[in-house]
Amino acid sequence: MGYCITAPPPLLARDAGILYTFAMKANYLMPTRILMGENCLRDQRAFLAPLGKKACIITGKNSARACGAYDDAVKALEANGQGFYVYDQVMSNPTDSCVYEAGAAAKREGCDFILAIGGGSPMDAAKAAAVLAVNDLSKEELFELAFTTALPIAAVPTTAGTGSETTPYSILVDTTGADGKSPRQGGPVKRSLGGPLLFPRFAFLDARYTRRLNRDTTVHTAIDALSHAVESALTPRASRLSDVLARESAVMIRDCFAALLDFPADPAEFPLEIREKLLLAASMAGMAIAQTGTTVVHSMGYHFTLDWGTDHGRANGLLMGPFLSWCEEKEREAAAAGTALAPRIPGLRAALGLDLEEFRGILEKLLGKREKAGEAELAAWGAAKMKNAANTYIQPTQEEIDRIFREAVG
Ligand code: NAP
Ligand code: FE
């Protein structure tokens, strides 16, 4: 029997707290070994040994060194007798040219595997570089997934948000905007490539590396993880397998709200156990979206990042409240009209232990003053095609997308 979101789910409907699921099919892959704990890079370095003689360490410009992860990685490699080359030029929202440069460096230096250290940006860049190091591909071939090999990847997240360490996705900025479909022709677009080869073989989760994250990056990346958990449950591909991860991740992040709202002046004083919880929750939400993908919220948020430079997680957060209220409204309309649409918002509310208004109130406090868009921006975004609209359990019309944008930043 096929997966069905419209049939009434008599067995599961009474499970208050389950976000939603009525899955009869499963296709679950998560090949990443997660090694978590203080000093896991040092203590579990033996896992890196079979990956090859030489690593290409891929990082951003500063934070990997400043947070201690780089030193730990180098010590682990040296203790294993492995060599390394360092590419440390990854910027936030990595570009096509950056990943070509990193891939060429890994090839030129004869690296056998990639060791990504950083937030989502270095990890995503590293995944594309892993492909380009062993494949001679045009940009279109890269995005069309015209490859069957990639160097193995190990990932060390230093933010707690994207979950890229447990996903098979690499999100890149195509600076030419030449995806052939985008309304942003000529301007940069965010594009993703995804496939099993992009799953890191290993994810080393050591919360100490996130200790220096300031308030805004901590909050914004936490909101990114939360939006992965929430969005995963609101995709047509959600299943009990993904929901269990999404739900637990959402609950863990909810449990961190109070601490996030009370962020200390010195980031080092933010409790390490909360950072640890956020790091694991982010990886779990990554495991959920690895199965389901994200919704229209992510596609919409890319416009804020591209046009305003808004942090990725913040962009999702700005849209989350209006989007969830719209979902609830559609569910009410469907119920009133007797349409067969299994509601998911009640399960989400139950999982979070918050009603939508309370949840939106907390998000508002975390986000602070909202950005405001001009009419020209709103009109352009409202008319733009959103790639992940089709991956949303209720597909929004263009008018509804426009409305959500206007409520978020109008
Ligand atoms: P990021 O762009 O990787 O990093 C943001 C900033 O935080 C950078 O300035 C970085 O500095 C700094 N930073 C990183 N770790 C730090 C630490 N431990 N201490 C202090 N500063 C630190 O941000 P992100 O939110 O983690 O990643 C966003 C990217 O991930 C976006 O491109 C988004 O599209 C993508 N994403 C991917 C997935 C996926 O499944 N693959 C999912 C969601 C989002 P440095 O530049 O010096 O490193
Ligand atoms: Fe995200």
Side-chain angles (χ1 to χ4, degrees), residues 347-359:
L348 185 62
R349 280 200 315 251
L352 289 170
L354 294 166
D355 69 31
L356 217 45
E357 285 316 304
E358 287 170 319
F359 180 52

Side-chain angles (χ1 to χ4, degrees), residues 141-380:
E141 288 168 335
L142 175 67
F143 283 111
E144 282 161 15
L145 309 177
F147 54 86
T148 54
T149 53
L151 292 182
I153 304 157
V156 185
T158 65
T159 62
T162 70
S164 180
E165 66 278 8
T166 54
T167 76
Y169 311 124
S170 166
I171 320 288
L172 304 174
V173 174
D174 179 347
T175 45
T176 60
D179 69 350
K181 299 169 212 123
S182 166
R184 306 178 62 97
Q185 289 304 307
V189 286
K190 277 219 164 198
R191 298 175 72 181
S192 61
L193 52 150
L197 289 169
L198 301 188
F199 271 116
R201 300 262 181 105
F202 301 102
F204 291 90
L205 309 187
D206 188 332
R208 292 173 312 144
Y209 303 145
T210 65
R211 277 192 107 146
R212 293 169 57 109
L213 285 170
N214 63 26
R215 190 253 175 215
D216 282 356
T217 312
T218 304
V219 166
H220 294 163
T221 47
I223 292 176
D224 189 25
L226 179 64
S227 90
H228 294 163
V230 168
E231 289 179 55
S232 171
L234 301 179
T235 65
R237 288 152 69 193
S239 70
R240 188 153 259 208
L241 283 167
S242 59
D243 271 1
V244 73
L245 291 158
R247 178 179 185 278
E248 188 58 21
S249 169
V251 168
M252 285 165 73
I253 298 167
R254 176 208 63 191
D255 289 347
C256 299
F257 281 161
L260 288 167
L261 287 167
D262 193 25
F263 200 88
D266 178 0
E269 282 170 17
F270 191 67
L272 189 57
E273 62 272 20
I274 302 286
R275 294 218 182 263
E276 194 163 50
K277 206 181 252 185
L278 290 170
L279 186 60
L280 183 58
S283 290
M284 287 165 65
M287 290 160 74
I289 59 165
Q291 313 307 319
T292 62
T294 52
T295 68
V296 70
V297 168
H298 262 64
S299 304
M300 292 170 76
Y302 291 157
H303 289 270
F304 300 160
T305 299
L306 290 167
D307 287 347
W308 292 342
T310 309
D311 285 355
H312 168 69
R314 179 176 180 83
N316 298 333
L318 290 167
L319 292 155
M320 180 70 59
F323 170 72
L324 290 176
S325 295
W326 169 79
C327 293
E328 192 174 51
E329 183 189 310
K330 296 300 280 188
E331 289 183 359
R332 267 202 305 269
E333 281 172 19
T339 315
L341 170 76
R344 302 193 190 188
I345 298 298
L348 185 62
R349 280 200 315 251
L352 289 170
L354 294 166
D355 69 31
L356 217 45
E357 285 316 304
E358 287 170 319
F359 180 52
R360 289 191 63 166
I362 290 168
L363 270 180
E364 275 326 288
K365 284 193 192 135
L366 290 172
L367 290 168
K369 193 168 179 293
R370 279 174 175 266
E371 292 80 343
K372 288 273 172 231
E375 182 53 37
E377 282 167 324
L378 288 168

